[in-house]
Amino acid sequence: MSKSIFYHAGCPVCISAEHDIVNLIGNDNVEILNIGEVTDRIQEAETAGVQSVPALLTPNGNVLHLNFGASMADVKG
Amino acid sequence: MSKSIFYHAGCPVCISAEHDIVNLIGNDNVEILNIGEVTDRIQEAETAGVQSVPALLTPNGNVLHLNFGASMADVKG
């Protein structure tokens, strides 16, 4: 894995954090994934250790949970 | 302000997040500040909106709170 993955669910907190992350690490270095819409990747996110969104999965496999927006339970509805 | 500032307090959660942030945005683009040691900059951090550490203050003035480590109240002791 060479890119980071930014998991979000479309909430205002997520969008704000997304802009900050893209500004900081560059659009080419991060995949933006709305798991509120692409629900078949929720399992992948949970396996990676994502407990809430927005969260950034780094290339070395660590998860940085950012400003709390929504829990994974909320995303799954 | 052209650099981000990474505020931390030396806790294990902070150190782990620090390494991830430095890897992602580059050592030259972030000032690392241990406000558990440099306590005279706690006021500056709070004014910027830092509510817990680790936190990243971006060049545009937004604060990204990362994996919760310690509240500012804890840092102040």
Side-chain angles (χ1 to χ4, degrees):
Chain A
M1 173 168 38
S2 58
K3 269 191 178 188
S4 298
I5 304 177
F6 181 82
Y7 294 99
H8 73 102
C11 57
V13 169
C14 294
I15 303 300
S16 171
E18 175 189 327
H19 293 164
D20 289 329
I21 290 293
V22 167
N23 285 340
L24 287 170
I25 70 178
N27 197 46
D28 292 343
N29 297 316
V30 58
E31 175 186 359
I32 307 291
L33 183 60
N34 184 338
I35 54 172
E37 293 177 349
V38 191
T39 51
D40 59 357
R41 290 186 65 179
I42 288 178
Q43 179 63 50
E44 162 202 310
E46 287 190 317
T47 301
V50 173
Q51 295 174 30
S52 63
V53 287
L56 186 72
L57 175 64
T58 70
N60 61 12
N62 288 343
V63 177
L64 293 173
H65 294 96
L66 305 175
N67 299 347
F68 188 82
S71 70
M72 290 301 277
D74 289 335
V75 173
K76 289 189 274 190
Chain B
M1 173 168 39
S2 57
K3 269 192 179 189
S4 297
I5 303 177
F6 181 82
Y7 294 100
H8 73 102
C11 57
V13 169
C14 295
I15 302 299
S16 171
E18 175 190 327
H19 293 164
D20 289 329
I21 289 294
V22 167
N23 285 341
L24 287 171
I25 70 177
N27 197 48
D28 291 344
N29 298 317
V30 59
E31 175 187 359
I32 307 292
L33 183 61
N34 185 336
I35 53 171
E37 294 177 348
V38 191
T39 52
D40 58 357
R41 291 187 64 181
I42 288 178
Q43 180 63 51
E44 162 202 310
E46 288 190 317
T47 300
V50 173
Q51 294 174 30
S52 62
V53 286
L56 186 73
L57 175 63
T58 70
N60 62 11
N62 288 343
V63 178
L64 293 173
H65 294 96
L66 305 175
N67 299 347
F68 188 82
S71 71
M72 289 301 277
D74 289 336
V75 173
K76 288 189 275 191

